[in-house]
Structure formats: structure tokens, C-alpha cells
Amino acid sequence: MAPDLLDAYKKMNSSAISLKRISKRYGPKEIIHNLSFDVEPGEIVGFLGPNGAGKTTTMKMIAGTSTATSGTVRVAGFDMATQPEEGTKRLGYLPEHPPLYDILKVSGFLNFIANAKGIPRRLRKIELDKVVNACKLENVVESEIYKLSKGYRQRLGLAQALVGDPEVLLLDEPTAGLDPGQIQETREVIRKFGTNHAVLLSTHILTEVTLICSRVAIINQGKLLAIDSPEGLQKALEETSTVGLVTSGNSTSIQEELSNLDNVLSISAKTDKSNRTKITCHVESDDNIESEIARIVIKKGNLFSLNRQSPSLENVFLRYIKESKDLRNTN
Amino acid sequence: MNGLLAIYGKEMATYFRSPIAYFLISSFLLGTGYFFIYNVFSSGTATMDLTFRDMAFLLMILVPVLTMRIFSGEYSGRTMELLIALPINTWQIVLGKYLAAVTILVIMTVATFVNLIPMFLYGNPHLVNIICGYIGFILLGMASISIGLFFSALTQNQIVAALITLPTLLGFWWVGHLQNMQSNSFMQDFLGYIAFSLHYSELIRGLLRSEAVIYYLLVAATSIILTISYIKWRR
């Protein structure tokens, strides 16, 4: 098979980003252990983890600025160890600190990026106008970079990653240092881009993940703890969710009856001055549990409210991090 | 080739948007002008021999200033990551940067041609000597810049890069003096061969020998290859 045909064939069968059992060692210290996951075209994957979890190191290995000690990293089907030029051609990368040349003008800098990415001269102006508009940089195009505010620097960093419409976009904390309005605009840019490209973004802002990501990868201490959609991760923890209710009935007798139910694990109650009792039940996942609880409570008095509280993504995250720590301690 | 030109263009913009290029060219011209007037008018002969020697010495001092930021600046500004993540080969990055620095050297050199005007107007200098001298000067500069380039790739501190480059260049210049202290004839030849100054004095006397040309180009090629390998290894 001809080499270009072979490449095309390989590409058809490959994810936009594919990590297979990658590890990274610095001397005796292993920073990343056996990490594997894929990012498909058209999805935005959030990379979540506490500081020092290995997010940036993993990003660097995907971008090819650092090499994995073992395992393979593929970008658009190209191995970053053996074909880095093919991989980097299809990749836009915004590192943690936006890499900018302070002494150049914004236009000069973007021109350099377009040249380096090999964008033909006749398309260059259209391409640069497009990213300048997308990142709202029109007002600063002729300014020197050292004069820019932090928000503009961050957006210029994003703009350079978007130049050339890369298949894969790697963003290391893209909204750090932006004000709320800018954060929203930036998310919009990423969301739009993510509809037909593959985006991997690292963050520790949990709302960001729920707002724009279709899947979340949680990592800690260089290990992948979970990868799923935000809803999927929440559901996994829903097995022991809580049902809260407010009633005017006698709290002791209600508690007694509720504790007889199979799926109720524990109950706590608190009566306030107006004689209303707030009861919290920890329950095992069961679709009918709310109606059963309601039936019991109504027999004893008025039911003012009843709701099931799903764990927030924050709880999911903290739980995974805690579990990984416990596991390490017992080992 | 795109990548090499992009890097070259960016480097040239950096030199001329910052004071570095202006500082280097003006201080080199000032120094050369002073030495030229002193040498030509005090001796009353229309030769560039002494001036070439002084120019070389001035070059050894200015090259570290020219090269110290080449890679150190990229490391400390965290822009090296960008260059590596762009679809540019390491050799294109290194060569683009090297050629930009050599361009500054050529501009510095061409600017000194102004000294030749009164010399040709009022004297009768040897054109061949002057051409050979200038060829020697550019070759010496190319070798020196490549050494500065290599040291700049080793550290993210520009001052450290300059402080290693300067003594190294002076060492290559003066190592010829050790020749007389050697009893071993191989060592004598070896030290004579690696000294920048001995090849250079032949060139400014109008002796264009392939040995000298090859030596300077070999130093440049070796340093560039070492720089490329180091940057690749550093990942």
C-alpha cells in the first residue's frame, strides 16, 4: 500500500488523541502511571485533577514537548515519538502559561504562527481575521504584546492555538485569569470549535466541565481514576444518595417506620420552632423509594416537600480523590 | 523550509524591535572606527592588518551579547514549548536562529566598509589582503556565534550563557600561546590548529588557505549539531 494511503487508512481507524499505557519517569519518580484514554473528533473532554496530578505533564506529552518514558501517544493517528511533525501539524496547543513574545506586536506574532504552521500566503489574512474575531482581539491587533492585560494574553494564547484550524486542540487551563464575561466568551469559542474537532482541556473549575465537556477524565497522582460523561459520573455515586423531606408529623414514629424500609440506610431528623421536622434519609438507589417514603409520611401528617439530592460533581471529584488516597494508604 | 523562514523572520524582528541589534552595531562601529583611526593614522600606512586584529577581539566580547538570549530567552519566556509544539523541525529552529545571528554579524561587518573609503581615496591598500581579512572575520564570527548558540541552549539564564561563552571564545583565541610550551610536536600542531587566532592571522595577511576555512566551518557545524542534539535530548 502506498504510504499516503496507509496513513489515510490508519487515520480512519484512529481517535483524534489516543494514549496507550503511557508512563513518565523523572529519575526514580514516576509522574504518570499507565495512563490510557482516547478523545474522539467532535467531543470536548475535560481533564480534571488537583494541582500536581499530572495534567500538565500529560498535555506536554500529547503536544510532543515532552516524551513518554513508555507507551504511545498518537495525535490524529500519528505517533508523536516517531512522526512528531505530522502530529504537530494537526494540533493546536495552549500551555499553562500562554507562550508569547512580549516584544512583538499581536499581528506580528500571529503572522509568525501562521508562517510556522505553513499556511499559504493567500489564505493567511482570512485565517488570521477569523481567529482574531473568534478570540475578540480586534482592539489590540496593533499593540505590542507586553502591553496586553492578562485576559488578552490568555486569549492571544488561545488564538495562536486556533490558527490553521487544527484537528486537535489541547488547552491547559484556558480560562485562568479571565473575568466572568471573558470566561463565558472563551467557553463559547471552545464549545463552537468542539462541535467538529477534538478538544482536551484541563481545568480545576468544576462548573466549566459540566457546562462544556461531553466527557470528564479524573486523574490524581498520575493515575486515571475515572472517565465518563459528567452525568455518568454522578450516577455512579447515586447508589447512596440522600432524600430530604419536611413534614409536620410526629418525627419519632415516622423515623421508626422509615427505618423499617429495606433501602433506607440511615435517618437523621431536626425539628424547628414552627414544629416542622426536616428528615434526611440516606438511601440505596431505588426508583420507587421516594413514593414509598411519601406514603409513610402522609399517613402521619402533612408533607411539605420531598426531594432527592444527587451528588454534585464536586462531591464526585472529592470522593474519587479521597478513594485514591485511601487506596494508597492501605497499600 | 517554511519553518526555517518563520523562525528567521521572528528572530530578525526580535533583534530590531529590541535595542540589541542597535546596541551591537553601534558599539561595534564605534570601536572599529576608533581602532581604525588609531592604527592607520599613528602608523601612517594604508593597511587593515592591525584593525582586523582589533575587530576580532571586539567581536569576542560582543558575540556573547548577541547570542546569550537565543535559547535562554525562549526557556525563561516559556516560549520554547510553543516552538516545539509547532510543526517545525529542531534543525529548522536552530538553523533559523543561527542564520539570523549571522545576519546581524554581516550587517556589523558591512557597516565597517565605511572605513575603506578614505583608505582607497588617500592610500594604496592591498585589495586581496582586505578581502581575505573580511572573509576571515566573517568565518571567525560564524564559528564564535555557533559556540554562543550552543551555550545559550544549555541554560535558561542569559547572563550565565554570556559568562560561559566569553571565556570559551577567549580560550579558543589564546590557546595558540600554549604552543610554545609544548615539547610534543603533535600537541604543538594540534594547539596551532585549534587556535582561532593563528588561522585568522594567516587570513589577514592575505593567505586564504582551505585549512583555515574548513576549520572555522567545522567548529560552526559541530556546535550547531551539538545544539540540535541537545534540544532533542532535552524533551
Side-chain angles (χ1 to χ4, degrees):
Chain A
M1 212 183 284
D4 48 340
L5 266 177
L6 193 69
D7 283 344
Y9 175 73
K10 266 192 216 153
K11 242 182 91 180
M12 262 170 16
N13 289 308
S14 62
S15 314
I17 303 173
S18 155
L19 304 185
K20 285 231 164 63
R21 304 175 68 81
I22 56 163
S23 298
K24 176 81 181 175
R25 282 173 171 284
Y26 286 114
K29 223 176 146 196
E30 198 167 46
I31 309 288
I32 303 288
H33 314 265
N34 241 339
L35 198 67
S36 306
F37 67 87
D38 294 335
V39 180
E40 305 299 331
E43 73 171 347
I44 303 178
V45 174
F47 207 25
L48 211 59
N51 285 325
K55 298 189 298 268
T56 298
T57 311
T58 310
M59 289 275 196
K60 282 185 178 175
M61 286 192 283
I62 301 171
T65 61
S66 173
T67 46
T69 316
S70 65
T72 48
V73 179
R74 285 176 184 279
V75 170
F78 296 102
D79 191 333
M80 289 304 278
T82 54
Q83 297 170 289
E85 285 112 60
E86 291 302 320
T88 47
K89 249 185 223 168
R90 293 158 176 84
L91 183 105
Y93 176 41
L94 167 63
E96 201 174 359
H97 301 268
L100 309 173
Y101 293 102
D102 281 351
I103 207 149
L104 300 181
K105 282 184 179 178
V106 171
S107 54
F109 175 68
L110 289 176
N111 248 316
F112 160 63
I113 299 290
N115 279 340
K117 290 191 178 178
I119 293 171
R121 193 173 283 273
R122 65 203 151 78
L123 300 176
R124 204 170 295 157
K125 196 174 171 336
I126 307 166
E127 180 61 28
L128 293 187
D129 283 349
K130 206 173 77 189
V131 295
V132 163
N133 286 333
C135 299
K136 302 252 178 342
L137 292 166
E138 298 93 337
N139 295 332
V140 293
V141 171
E142 287 310 311
S143 308
E144 276 94 358
I145 293 175
Y146 71 87
K147 291 180 183 161
L148 299 186
S149 67
K150 205 175 170 197
Y152 272 123
R153 292 179 73 89
Q154 191 72 28
R155 281 189 278 168
L156 181 55
L158 179 63
Q160 66 74 22
L162 292 176
V163 169
D165 204 26
E167 287 170 40
V168 176
L169 196 58
L170 284 182
L171 307 172
D172 203 346
E173 300 189 13
T175 54
L178 300 181
D179 67 38
Q182 294 169 338
I183 288 181
Q184 214 162 22
E185 285 166 7
T186 306
R187 281 182 192 154
E188 209 37 60
V189 174
I190 298 169
R191 203 200 320 254
K192 226 187 252 170
F193 194 85
T195 52
N196 47 5
H197 299 74
V199 182
L200 178 65
L201 86 143
S202 86
T203 181
H204 34 229
I205 307 171
L206 291 146
T207 43
E208 195 153 279
V209 170
T210 28
L211 282 173
I212 59 175
C213 298
S214 42
R215 280 199 302 154
V216 188
I218 298 181
I219 84 163
N220 192 27
Q221 320 247 324
K223 286 188 182 134
L224 185 69
L225 305 180
I227 180 159
D228 204 344
S229 65
E231 300 78 27
L233 286 175
Q234 281 166 322
K235 210 169 245 167
L237 286 202
E238 251 172 27
E239 283 150 16
T240 59
S241 57
T242 55
V243 174
L245 60 98
V246 182
T247 171
S248 64
N250 181 304
S251 99
T252 21
S253 66
I254 293 178
Q255 278 190 59
E256 222 167 82
E257 279 209 39
L258 287 179
S259 58
N260 289 335
L261 288 174
D262 279 347
N263 289 332
V264 173
L265 302 171
S266 69
I267 303 172
S268 60
K270 204 175 140 192
T271 312
D272 66 8
K273 280 176 202 153
S274 57
N275 238 355
R276 287 187 181 185
T277 308
K278 196 175 168 197
I279 297 178
T280 312
C281 312
H282 284 269
V283 297
E284 272 183 276
S285 184
D286 177 359
D287 290 343
N288 288 326
I289 193 86
E290 281 104 328
S291 39
E292 277 184 53
I293 291 174
R295 216 171 295 135
I296 292 169
V297 176
I298 289 168
K299 275 193 278 180
K300 309 274 177 188
N302 285 333
L303 176 62
F304 297 110
S305 74
L306 179 100
N307 61 334
R308 186 192 282 247
Q309 288 142 0
S310 311
S312 66
L313 195 61
E314 199 164 9
N315 287 339
V316 175
F317 176 65
L318 291 173
R319 168 100 174 256
Y320 274 114
I321 302 297
K322 194 171 165 290
E323 268 175 13
S324 78
K325 264 187 201 150
D326 292 347
L327 203 68
R328 201 169 27 118
N329 290 341
T330 51
N331 285 344
Chain B
M1 204 58 193
N2 264 335
L4 192 142
L5 289 177
I7 295 282
Y8 178 82
K10 189 224 90 184
E11 285 291 301
M12 291 310 285
T14 311
Y15 282 124
F16 284 98
R17 291 190 64 85
S18 71
I20 311 172
Y22 305 102
F23 167 77
L24 285 171
I25 295 168
S26 58
S27 50
F28 185 68
L29 268 186
L30 204 69
T32 311
Y34 169 77
F35 289 130
F36 176 79
I37 292 170
Y38 182 85
N39 291 332
V40 171
F41 288 87
S42 67
S43 68
T45 48
T47 66
M48 284 287 279
D49 294 16
L50 286 170
T51 311
F52 274 135
R53 200 152 261 285
D54 293 329
M55 273 165 67
F57 197 69
L58 206 53
L59 184 76
M60 301 283 129
I61 295 163
L62 291 179
V63 160
V65 182
L66 173 69
T67 58
M68 65 182 191
R69 51 150 288 285
I70 294 183
F71 281 106
S72 307
E74 301 273 2
Y75 296 146
S76 57
R78 298 176 194 256
T79 42
M80 197 61 197
E81 225 179 322
L82 173 74
L83 295 187
I84 293 174
L86 285 170
I88 310 176
N89 274 323
T90 311
W91 69 264
Q92 289 179 322
I93 299 176
V94 175
L95 216 57
K97 281 170 168 285
Y98 177 70
L99 291 178
V102 170
T103 307
I104 301 288
L105 168 78
V106 171
I107 296 172
M108 276 161 58
T109 312
V110 170
T112 64
F113 287 176
V114 72
N115 293 334
L116 301 178
I117 299 169
M119 205 178 224
F120 278 96
L121 277 181
Y122 304 111
N124 195 12
H126 285 286
L127 185 61
V128 176
N129 283 16
I130 290 174
I131 292 172
C132 281
Y134 270 112
I135 292 173
F137 181 76
I138 294 280
L139 285 170
L140 175 72
M142 284 169 67
S144 306
I145 288 172
S146 71
I147 291 172
L149 177 91
F150 174 64
F151 285 125
S152 180
L154 294 187
T155 167
Q156 60 166 321
N157 188 322
Q158 301 192 19
I159 308 291
V160 171
L163 288 180
I164 315 173
T165 308
L166 182 64
T168 309
L169 293 182
L170 293 178
F172 268 108
W173 186 254
W174 278 319
V175 74
H177 291 301
L178 297 177
Q179 215 181 4
N180 304 333
M181 295 180 206
Q182 303 297 324
S183 50
N184 184 329
S185 73
F186 168 76
M187 279 308 281
Q188 277 187 1
D189 289 348
F190 178 71
L191 290 174
Y193 186 68
I194 64 164
F196 278 179
S197 48
L198 300 183
H199 294 290
Y200 189 63
S201 28
E202 283 182 355
L203 283 159
I204 56 182
R205 276 188 282 126
L207 226 63
L208 185 64
R209 291 174 56 192
S210 57
E211 193 184 279
V213 177
I214 290 170
Y215 172 64
Y216 285 128
L217 294 179
L218 201 66
V219 171
T222 311
S223 308
I224 290 171
I225 290 167
L226 280 177
T227 311
I228 295 172
S229 325
Y230 176 75
I231 289 173
K232 279 191 173 165
W233 172 82
R234 202 171 172 271
R235 278 200 251 173

